[in-house]
Amino acid sequence: MIEYPSAPDTPRSHLPFSPATRVGELIFVSGQASVDATGKIVSDSFEGEMRRSIENLRKVLETAGSDLAHVVQTRNYVRDGEDLAQFNAIYPEYFTAPYPARTTITNCLTPALRYEIECIAVVRDRQR
């Protein structure tokens, strides 16, 4: 069974995709960028956009029954290669060792975005 978990405060896009898809114990989260709850882009510094994007990811995961500690893979999109050092400095604040599997791609986003993240996670242990 495929589920599409959402809540009123889950960041949404006007584009045709779901924020998350849950199949059994796996959660697939679409790319989360620096947007508000209505999907409007919030421009900021690289750090500000990265933090907002990961907080959006956190909201989507919580709605789907998971959290950042249960992420098994991330895909990261960094618009400008010169932001990679800052990206690598901020990332461990949200994901801890042993880190999720990770792919990072640079020079790939529209000029309106500096950072985007998507992930695959597992459902939180229901005993917690």
Side-chain angles (χ1 to χ4, degrees), residues 31-36 41 49 52-54 56 113 115-117:
Q32 297 299 306
S34 180
V35 299
D36 64 18
I41 294 172
E49 288 196 23
R52 189 172 294 103
S53 299
I54 296 175
N56 286 341
L113 297 174
Y115 178 78
E116 186 172 336
I117 184 171

Side-chain angles (χ1 to χ4, degrees), residues 33-72:
S34 180
V35 299
D36 64 18
T38 68
K40 182 180 176 193
I41 294 172
V42 179
S43 297
D44 203 344
S45 64
F46 176 81
E47 178 178 1
E49 288 196 23
M50 182 174 176
R51 291 186 187 283
R52 189 172 294 103
S53 299
I54 296 175
E55 289 305 322
N56 286 341
L57 179 72
R58 185 190 314 265
K59 289 178 189 174
V60 173
L61 286 168
E62 288 172 359
T63 299
S66 192
D67 54 37
L68 294 176
H70 288 82
V71 170
V72 296

